Amino acid sequence: MSISSATARSSESRILILDFGSQYTQLIARRIRELNVYCEIHPGPLDLAVMEAFAPSGVVLSGGPASVLDSDSPDVDPGVFELGVPVLGICYGLQLLVARLGGKVEASEDREYGRAEMKIDREDPLLAGLSTEQSHVVWMSHGDRVLSLPADFDVVASSGGSPFAAIRHEERPIWGLQFHPEVVHTQGGQQILHNFVREICDCSPDWTMSAFIDEHIQSIRSQVGPARVICGLSGGVDSSVAAALVHRAVGDQLTCIFVDHGLMRENERAEVEETFRESLGIDLISVDASERFLRALDGVSDPEKKRREIGRLFIEVFEEEAEKVGDARFLVQGTLYPDVIESVSVKGASVTIKTHHNVGGLPEDMRLELVEPLRELFKDEVREVGRGLGLPERAVGRHPFPGPGLAIRIMGEVTPDRLAALRRADAIMNEEIRMAGLYDEIWQALVVFLPVNSVGVMGDARTYENAVAVRCVTSVDAMTADFAQVPWDVLGKISNRIINEVKGINRVVYDISSKPPATIEWE
């Protein structure tokens, strides 16, 4: 991963997170950014020269699923302890620094997962603000245990299963925590991270979205100069905020292209045109390519083939319209930081669950330079930037929506009748959760059209029609999700309206599966 964006930042305060595969690594970054301090995640075995170029104010060694006792476990350059900046090892990170600095780690028969009671044994800057008179609930997740500490290390806190729950070097700024301060289950966890980042590392709280906007307006102007810029606008949060930020920077040099593939939600094209063309004054090309997409999807039921066909045709239409712009040199993309992390395999090899929801990849011969103004941000930060740029709440607060649209919410073949029914059912569901005041509490809500018929009764007549599934989930970053506990009366209204108002649907079910093992989308 390039670190040029970070080293070019005006702020001198930044934390380097070395990732060893923990499911909580992104959460560490979120917690640090909540302290208004910039941070980046890089692979654990990072070259020392890259660390030095990053010039961190402090370093965090993340947790991970491996064992430091294994010969092929991810390692860290020992030079990290000689950078002269504070280092905090968390879980695997603690065991790694213990093993590399001369202590001993062993496999434990009594693994420790979940809640534990921690007692502070001595006052320490890392645990400042936490009472030494009472125990604290912390979240453990480890199989190995520390047997003995390296020379010159002391115990700061302990738990029943971890006598070395928190440790520190007597003279050098090196700390280790066996538990995870970044998870909400740990009492005082954010205070601990505050102590490390803001007090021990002396980081200034200057990572704000207002500062980000001002800084990146200048950065975009410097990158683009007088050249023409195009943006593929989907109507989603990421592309909308990216377009608004670039427009703030270069004005009429930007042209946005919105391809309506006919798989959008109800009134979506009109809302995009009103927001960007009328409200923001952005030059917008809006293309109705719905018939082309429906022809391409005729007879296609495999979800991966749907994605490939939609992605291929999207690029085809987009290129046709981009050529009409003429001398465009730059292409805006709403790439976010989680996308950047995944693209460099920070966590190592992973299995492809399904093709990413974004529409298609870029052709290799497009010959456009990328402008990715949001690549340092998480989704919640992007929403803040959008609000700071004056985008309406319906644009920045909307739920995630997949690039292939309703096509992957129709199980089986996509037909005009199925699309019409699903589009209306989806609109009804969204109307009801908004009226109930639940929209902002739900991470994502959707309706899935099922290719099964069931017997029903309407009036005195027997029906044999389709079923739909309603899915509402809560999440922080979509890495994991749980079903939202929508009140029964709201679900009842949704079901009643869909069955009464949408022709061809006589049954509504509610999806109560979590992620994992299920995914948020059905296809």
Side-chain angles (χ1 to χ4, degrees):
M1 185 192 312
S2 170
I3 61 170
S4 58
S5 61
T7 53
R9 287 178 42 76
S10 60
S11 171
E12 295 299 321
S13 295
R14 56 181 69 98
I15 298 294
L16 172 63
I17 302 171
L18 297 181
D19 178 44
F20 296 97
S22 171
Q23 61 181 317
Y24 302 130
T25 300
Q26 287 197 40
L27 192 53
I28 298 173
R30 284 181 173 276
R31 295 290 180 254
I32 292 175
R33 291 189 179 195
E34 287 170 4
L35 298 169
N36 298 120
V37 174
Y38 182 73
C39 64
E40 281 193 15
I41 301 171
H42 288 258
L46 189 65
D47 186 78
L48 183 61
V50 180
M51 296 187 210
E52 292 173 337
F54 185 80
S57 306
V59 179
V60 175
L61 311 180
S62 85
S67 167
V68 297
L69 302 174
D70 296 337
S71 59
D72 59 348
S73 63
D75 208 344
V76 66
D77 191 312
V80 70
F81 304 113
E82 308 299 330
L83 288 175
V85 299
V87 177
L88 173 63
I90 296 175
C91 195
Y92 179 89
L94 170 140
Q95 296 173 2
L96 187 61
L97 72 85
V98 166
R100 298 300 171 261
L101 295 178
K104 292 184 178 180
V105 177
E106 67 173 3
S108 175
E109 294 182 1
D110 299 320
R111 298 183 177 185
E112 194 173 21
Y113 296 104
R115 289 175 174 81
E117 297 285 331
M118 180 190 74
K119 185 179 184 304
I120 298 175
D121 298 313
R122 52 171 285 189
E123 292 186 355
D124 187 86
L126 185 64
L127 304 181
L130 276 67
S131 172
T132 58
E133 302 299 321
Q134 62 186 42
S135 60
H136 303 269
V137 173
V138 296
W139 191 260
M140 297 284 188
S141 181
H142 61 100
D144 295 341
R145 69 173 183 173
V146 174
L147 183 62
S148 63
L149 294 178
D152 301 322
F153 270 82
D154 291 324
V155 176
V156 175
S158 57
S159 71
S162 297
F164 307 108
I167 63 173
R168 68 160 299 174
H169 194 280
E170 293 176 358
E171 299 176 356
R172 300 164 65 190
I174 303 175
W175 282 262
L177 299 173
Q178 186 60 77
F179 59 92
H180 290 271
E182 69 273 21
V183 303
V184 295
H185 311 291
T186 293
Q187 293 178 344
Q190 187 67 348
Q191 179 65 47
I192 294 172
L193 291 176
H194 176 278
N195 293 339
F196 180 73
V197 172
R198 296 278 293 276
E199 304 300 330
I200 294 172
C201 298
D202 196 27
C203 289
S204 302
D206 55 9
W207 174 249
T208 65
M209 292 305 99
S210 175
F212 174 90
I213 291 172
D214 293 341
E215 183 176 318
H216 279 69
I217 285 174
Q218 297 305 317
S219 175
I220 293 166
R221 287 173 179 167
S222 176
Q223 179 185 4
V224 169
R228 295 287 300 168
V229 187
I230 58 175
C231 175
L233 192 63
S234 70
V237 176
D238 305 340
S239 68
S240 297
V241 174
L245 181 57
V246 173
H247 183 255
R248 179 73 63 90
V250 301
D252 293 342
Q253 292 171 234
L254 172 69
T255 296
C256 289
I257 299 173
F258 175 72
V259 177
D260 182 358
H261 49 30
L263 308 169
M264 302 289 182
R265 286 177 163 173
E266 193 170 85
N267 300 322
E268 191 151 18
R269 181 180 176 188
E271 289 180 4
V272 169
E273 292 175 347
E274 193 281 328
T275 297
F276 290 90
R277 184 179 288 154
E278 307 302 327
S279 299
L280 299 178
I282 293 177
D283 181 27
L284 175 66
I285 297 174
S286 182
V287 186
D288 183 359
S290 55
E291 290 187 7
R292 289 175 66 177
F293 279 86
L294 284 175
R295 284 198 303 270
L297 292 172
D298 185 28
V300 178
S301 58
D302 177 78
E304 285 300 299
K305 189 172 182 182
K306 287 181 190 177
R307 283 185 167 84
R308 288 193 296 270
E309 285 299 305
I310 293 169
R312 177 192 61 77
L313 189 51
F314 176 87
I315 293 297
E316 184 179 305
V317 176
F318 183 84
E319 284 190 307
E320 291 172 2
E321 298 303 321
E323 288 180 6
K324 298 176 184 177
V325 176
D327 57 349
R329 179 182 163 192
F330 292 92
L331 174 68
V332 179
Q333 281 204 141
T335 309
L336 303 192
Y337 193 51
D339 302 326
V340 175
I341 295 170
E342 291 172 5
S343 72
V344 295
S345 299
V346 171
K347 296 183 180 180
S350 61
V351 177
T352 299
I353 306 300
K354 55 189 173 185
T355 304
H356 197 270
H357 292 321
N358 290 338
V359 179
L362 294 173
E364 294 180 2
D365 60 350
M366 183 167 265
R367 299 176 187 168
L368 293 172
E369 298 178 45
L370 290 181
V371 179
E372 298 177 302
L374 309 179
R375 63 182 286 116
E376 296 177 355
L377 303 183
F378 289 99
K379 176 75 80 172
D380 52 341
E381 295 170 326
V382 172
R383 297 187 198 278
E384 288 186 52
V385 170
R387 294 182 180 103
L389 291 168
L391 283 171
E393 190 60 30
R394 70 172 181 271
V396 297
R398 61 168 285 171
H399 291 170
F401 188 66
L406 299 178
I408 60 167
R409 293 179 180 174
I410 294 175
M411 302 294 99
E413 185 180 357
V414 178
T415 68
D417 288 344
R418 288 180 170 185
L419 266 175
L422 179 58
R423 185 176 286 116
R424 187 64 202 129
D426 176 86
I428 290 170
M429 177 207 58
N430 276 285
E431 289 169 9
E432 290 299 330
I433 62 174
R434 285 185 183 279
M435 286 191 291
L438 298 173
Y439 189 86
D440 293 335
E441 297 178 19
I442 295 171
W443 168 269
Q444 192 169 354
L446 57 132
V447 179
V448 181
F449 188 95
L450 306 178
V452 294
N453 286 34
S454 68
V455 174
V457 177
M458 290 187 177
D460 294 323
R462 176 186 183 273
T463 62
Y464 191 59
E465 296 177 329
N466 285 102
V468 296
V470 173
R471 179 144 171 79
C472 301
V473 300
T474 57
S475 182
V476 174
D477 52 17
M479 301 291 287
T480 61
D482 201 0
F483 67 91
Q485 298 187 32
V486 179
W488 292 118
D489 62 324
V490 177
L491 289 176
K493 290 178 182 178
I494 293 172
S495 175
N496 188 58
R497 284 194 59 193
I498 289 176
I499 292 172
N500 286 338
E501 298 178 29
V502 183
K503 183 179 179 181
I505 296 175
N506 69 353
R507 191 176 298 272
V508 176
V509 298
Y510 189 59
D511 182 349
I512 60 169
S513 52
S514 61
K515 176 187 178 181
T519 54
I520 295 177
E521 298 284 349
W522 280 41
E523 285 194 343

